[in-house]
Amino acid sequence: MNEKVFATLKSAETEDWFDMHIMRPLSYLWVQLFARLNVHPNMVTVLSMIIGGGSCIFFAHGSFYYEGISGLIFNIIAILLLMWAALFDCVDGQLARLTGKKSRLGRILDGVAGFMWYIPIYFGLTYRFYIHHDIEFGLFGISETDTHVYIATAIVLVMAFASGLYGLASQQRLADYYIQIHLFSLKGAKGSELDTYAQQKQIYEEMSWKENWIWKFFQKTYVDYTRAQEAVTPEFQHLRAVLKEKYNDTDHIPQEVFDEVHRNSLPLMKYVLMLMFNFRTLILTTTCLLDVPVLCFVLEIFGLTLLAHYVNRRHEGFCRQIAEAQTNNP
């Protein structure tokens, strides 16, 4: 990879193969263009939301089995739009690091961008099932009646909510947190965005609704985001408390502690990245081209949920061990 491209990355250890070898080099071309045009990274994030969300119109169409060549073309357009949105999701961070235009709002927007893609896409896929469901009905021997269609569509809608709220939201939030912990162990506080709920809540409480209600609204979403991250990582929170009590601040934590966290975190990164958008998008696009998008919800609800629980258990386990070692060695 070109050194200039590499310099705009958070870390090679928190990038998967597809990002490192395809997305990041391509996104750097956009970074150079937007830097020349003085486009703010937050605007790029908003563009990614619009493009990704707009793909739902094309995902709502059946592929080749139901609509022939036109359906296949619609699905290919949907996939290309989603990849374009994912490309811009890479661009905003690289552009911010290149130009120094980092902001808390950018961090918040980057966290919600994927949800703005997938929420309309999931509704589009639910409508798609309502119109095109011959494969699923045939597989389970369900007769084609209005009642059966309404019941089955309602079930798929519930699955879509489960995939979006419990699956996508919680899993991506957890993966993002583990990436920031890994970057913290690798680069320290300046190289990560490892925010705390207490800090973000204080910022929120000091804001005025009258002066900037939009900014305060976004900050509230980030407060909830950090609170949820900390709620599912009690052992890591305990480790942070132990280190703070023992060393007072991060500048005094011995390097061997960072190295120990990094050593244990690195093997989990390949699984953490599977909870992010590239692998999820691969599942989505494959199931749509096969004309069984409901299978996407099934794989997210069960497969990715099991993976998230595995990663969480492993991460919490080594945090507990490091905290115990620090407590027993004053």
Side-chain angles (χ1 to χ4, degrees), residues 62-175:
S63 190
F64 185 77
Y65 179 85
Y66 291 108
E67 298 182 9
I69 294 297
S70 63
L72 180 60
I73 291 173
F74 275 122
N75 275 251
I76 291 174
I77 292 173
I79 292 168
L80 292 175
L81 286 174
L82 192 56
M83 290 182 65
W84 189 6
L87 186 68
F88 274 15
D89 191 51
C90 294
V91 170
D92 57 6
Q94 288 178 264
L95 182 62
R97 286 185 286 276
L98 179 69
T99 61
K101 295 179 179 178
K102 297 181 181 180
S103 66
R104 189 179 299 110
L105 179 59
R107 167 74 173 137
I108 297 170
L109 288 175
D110 190 55
V112 303
F115 305 127
M116 299 306 293
W117 308 343
Y118 277 90
I119 289 173
I121 288 173
Y122 285 172
F123 276 114
L125 294 182
T126 303
Y127 173 76
R128 174 173 171 164
F129 175 83
Y130 174 73
I131 300 298
H132 301 300
H133 46 257
D134 292 355
I135 294 176
E136 292 86 351
F137 273 30
L139 181 63
F140 292 100
I142 302 172
S143 59
E144 178 73 24
T145 67
D146 289 345
T147 301
H148 289 165
V149 171
Y150 294 147
I151 293 174
T153 303
I155 292 172
V156 171
L157 182 60
V158 171
M159 293 172 65
F161 271 105
S163 293
L165 296 178
Y166 180 71
L168 173 65
S170 64
Q171 293 162 11
Q172 188 272 340
R173 185 172 56 228
L174 180 69

Side-chain angles (χ1 to χ4, degrees), residues 167-221:
L168 173 65
S170 64
Q171 293 162 11
Q172 188 272 340
R173 185 172 56 228
L174 180 69
D176 177 59
Y177 198 51
Y178 284 154
I179 287 173
Q180 297 309 322
I181 292 172
H182 188 79
L183 290 171
F184 183 76
S185 72
L186 186 65
K187 297 184 175 183
K190 293 183 179 180
S192 72
E193 296 170 331
L194 190 59
D195 296 321
T196 67
Y197 164 67
Q199 292 171 341
Q200 298 308 311
K201 184 180 179 183
Q202 182 178 353
I203 293 172
Y204 170 77
E205 291 174 345
E206 291 173 353
M207 290 178 171
S208 169
W209 281 109
K210 184 179 295 186
E211 293 178 3
N212 198 337
W213 66 270
I214 296 178
W215 172 228
K216 182 153 185 169
F217 169 78
F218 277 114
Q219 181 63 26
K220 179 62 169 64
T221 65

Side-chain angles (χ1 to χ4, degrees), residues 9 14 17 48 59 66 88 114 125 138-139 161 179 188 206 235 253 259 267 275 309 315:
L9 304 183
T14 55
W17 184 92
S48 80
F59 274 122
Y66 291 108
F88 274 15
L125 294 182
L139 181 63
F161 271 105
I179 287 173
E206 291 173 353
E235 295 295 345
I253 297 176
D259 293 342
L275 298 174
H309 281 300
H315 202 283

Side-chain angles (χ1 to χ4, degrees), residues 206-253:
E206 291 173 353
M207 290 178 171
S208 169
W209 281 109
K210 184 179 295 186
E211 293 178 3
N212 198 337
W213 66 270
I214 296 178
W215 172 228
K216 182 153 185 169
F217 169 78
F218 277 114
Q219 181 63 26
K220 179 62 169 64
T221 65
Y222 195 53
V223 169
D224 296 338
Y225 187 82
T226 53
R227 177 172 56 187
Q229 287 177 324
E230 294 182 4
V232 295
T233 56
E235 295 295 345
F236 176 71
Q237 305 313 317
H238 176 61
L239 174 59
R240 293 183 82 171
V242 168
L243 294 176
K244 183 176 181 180
E245 180 179 355
K246 188 172 182 178
Y247 301 107
N248 191 32
D249 60 55
T250 56
D251 293 335
H252 295 95
I253 297 176

